[in-house]
Every structure is written in structure tokens, then in C-alpha cells.
Amino acid sequence: MLFAVRFHDIADGLPIRNAHMDAHMAWLGANDDAIVAAGPLRVGDPDSTPVGALWLVRAKDFASAEALLAGDPFMKNGLRAKTEIYHWAKGYPSYTVEI
């Protein structure tokens, strides 16, 4: 199953993000079989401070997706204020998607 995950960061979370970025990136690489796509979300300028992230995650069920996300260093170190997990399916099967 695929899940769309929307993360909302805490206000003023940039110090947490910066302190744990290397561990977060290593964790993403170690879980690349489950993390289909991942990236920060910003308001306005592409160089502005991230306010959260949007991921596509492959997992056998909702509980497995939750368990996977719990291991992310950003989650473990308090960057995420809120996490939304949604079952996601491609709406137009014949349309090629490039990420």
C-alpha cells in the first residue's frame, strides 16, 4: 500500500532540523525501500525555512507506516508537531508519473 504523509514542523524548529539533518538523511537512505519520495515543504521562496514535509511511503498497512515514521530522527527529536497519514492510490492508472 502507498501512504501520503504530511508532516507539520514545530514553530522555530530549524535548530532541531539542523542538528539532526545528517542522521535524518542517513535514516532515509537506510529505508529507501519504503520511502518512495520525500521532501520538505516551504511557504514562498524555495530557500525559506521548511514548515514540514510531504512523503510517499510504501508499507503493508497503516500501523507499519506509523512504526516506520517513528524511527525518523526528526520524529524522535521533536521536530514534528503533527503528522497526517493517508492511504493513497494513483487516480489515473494509465498516466505516467515522474517524481
Side-chain angles (χ1 to χ4, degrees):
M1 298 178 143
L2 284 176
F3 295 89
V5 182
R6 168 62 166 103
F7 298 100
H8 301 261
D9 289 355
I10 62 169
D12 302 318
L14 190 57
I16 295 171
R17 180 179 286 277
N18 290 341
H20 301 285
M21 180 59 78
D22 289 343
H24 169 73
M25 296 305 291
W27 181 87
L28 285 172
N31 290 282
D32 65 354
D33 58 326
I35 310 296
V36 177
L41 294 173
R42 295 175 165 87
V43 176
D45 188 311
D47 295 325
S48 63
T49 300
V51 297
L54 179 66
W55 295 6
L56 288 179
V57 173
R58 184 176 291 113
K60 70 178 183 170
D61 54 32
F62 189 88
S64 297
E66 281 186 313
L68 172 72
L69 300 175
D72 178 12
F74 283 175
M75 293 289 282
K76 289 180 172 185
N77 290 285
L79 179 62
R80 308 305 193 187
K82 178 180 174 184
T83 302
E84 300 170 274
I85 304 172
Y86 302 96
H87 179 263
W88 184 80
K90 186 176 168 186
Y92 298 100
S94 63
Y95 183 75
T96 301
V97 176
E98 183 177 327
I99 295 176

